Amino acid sequence: MRFGARNAVAPRDGSATRGEQSTMVQVRDVGHRFPGTALLYEHVSFDVAAGQLLAVTGPSGSGKSTLLSLIAGWDKPTLGTVEVPRGARICWVFQNPYGPCYRTVLDIASFPIIARNVPRALAQEQAAGLLDDFGLAAKVDSRFCDLSGGEAQRLMLVRAICCAPDLLLVDEPTAQLDMRSARQVGESLSLLASRGMAVIVATHDPFVWKACDAVVDLERFMPLADAEGGAHAVA
Ligand SMILES: Nc1ncnc2c1ncn2[C@@H]1O[C@H](COP(=O)(O)OP(=O)(O)OP(=O)(O)O)[C@@H](O)[C@H]1O
Ligand SMILES: [Mg+2]
């Protein structure tokens, strides 16, 4: 299924051709609440096309991770619609890095490529190139358990990219990183988008915002307080 480019986020280079890319995510008038709670947000609408990088921001608890789960199809929005083309490959990099303790960085990164029947040597070469892009060249032979939090998070990004997704969802990738590494992650995500992937990143980080085509601030979509000072709840 393909969608028109209506309301697509602006192409980073302003070119007409980028605007013609297929829409990977279409969010329309979305609102969401968990049972027994008030609406987190309402009327959230945006499109993300292949080749675009979008940041979702907002205070802690505003529903950034929840929005990723709506896009991934794990949860259904209370209001509105989320559409992703049928068959699109989605990878999600979670907030907390996780991996097998005694496996090496290169093993973990190259596995998704090997699983697509690419010869091991070629898969490792491709994975090593990406590890280099993410500042992990010196760590290819390190065990997962020996990585710092930031290194482990960057490995999770590389691993997701090695799955060759059409849509990459990334939750708070810089929470454990210093400013220099955060800027690197922003630039790397931008590079991935420029190679044709649609990327949505939930982040508080201004260094990542700077690399993005557009930023959706969920605070702008919080329901207005009612006369009693509470948030509107939906029956
Ligand atoms: N399955 C669930 N059931 C009930 N409430 C939930 C569920 N998942 C999340 N919430 C609540 O929804 C709100 C939004 O959570 P979410 O994790 O999406 O926020 P966030 O913006 O990602 O926050 P942070 O910046 O801290 O990661 C929180 O109040 C959270 O407790
Ligand atoms: Mg979150």
Side-chain angles (χ1 to χ4, degrees):
M1 185 177 8
R2 297 208 159 197
F3 306 111
R6 191 165 59 93
N7 294 337
V9 293
R12 197 178 306 129
D13 61 3
S15 70
T17 49
R18 293 280 287 265
E20 292 162 8
Q21 299 250 33
S22 58
T23 300
M24 284 303 305
V25 179
Q26 187 183 69
V27 172
R28 284 288 173 276
D29 242 358
V30 160
H32 196 67
R33 69 183 173 99
F34 291 101
T37 66
L39 272 177
L40 289 167
Y41 35 71
E42 59 186 352
H43 304 307
V44 179
S45 294
F46 58 83
D47 287 0
V48 185
Q52 296 182 325
L53 171 59
L54 175 86
V56 175
T57 194
S60 180
S62 61
K64 300 180 293 298
S65 300
T66 300
L67 186 59
L68 296 187
S69 79
L70 299 178
I71 292 168
W74 273 12
D75 291 308
K76 192 176 177 315
T78 310
L79 302 169
T81 57
V82 175
E83 293 192 62
V84 174
R86 191 183 298 277
R89 287 184 305 271
I90 304 176
C91 276
W92 187 344
V93 179
F94 299 108
Q95 196 160 346
N96 299 313
Y98 178 76
C101 183
Y102 295 104
R103 286 286 163 199
T104 69
V105 165
L106 190 59
D107 279 346
I108 292 170
S110 59
F111 174 74
I113 309 178
I114 294 169
R116 292 199 303 278
N117 292 325
V118 174
R120 178 175 295 269
L122 182 57
Q124 291 190 335
E125 193 184 320
Q126 289 175 3
L130 283 164
L131 289 166
D132 192 18
D133 288 347
F134 280 73
L136 291 170
K139 298 286 174 183
V140 287
D141 295 322
S142 298
R143 300 180 319 168
F144 183 77
C145 286
D146 294 333
L147 298 178
S148 72
E151 289 164 349
Q153 185 58 274
R154 279 181 279 152
L155 172 59
M156 294 297 98
L157 278 173
V158 171
R159 188 179 179 284
I161 295 155
C162 288
C163 294
D166 302 303
L167 170 62
L168 181 63
L169 305 176
V170 187
D171 202 354
E172 300 284 1
T174 63
Q176 306 184 58
L177 303 187
D178 58 23
M179 285 193 313
R180 186 165 158 272
S181 305
R183 192 179 292 120
Q184 270 179 359
V185 166
E187 286 165 3
S188 300
L189 293 174
S190 173
L191 181 67
L192 294 174
S194 73
R195 289 176 184 167
M197 208 178 282
V199 184
I200 302 179
V201 55
T203 182
H204 296 104
D205 196 324
F207 289 113
V208 178
W209 299 344
K210 271 186 199 151
C212 291
D213 295 300
V215 178
V216 171
D217 183 355
L218 291 180
E219 195 163 24
R220 289 180 41 220
F221 299 96
M222 285 177 182
L224 294 174
D226 64 22
E228 282 81 44
H232 289 297
V234 173

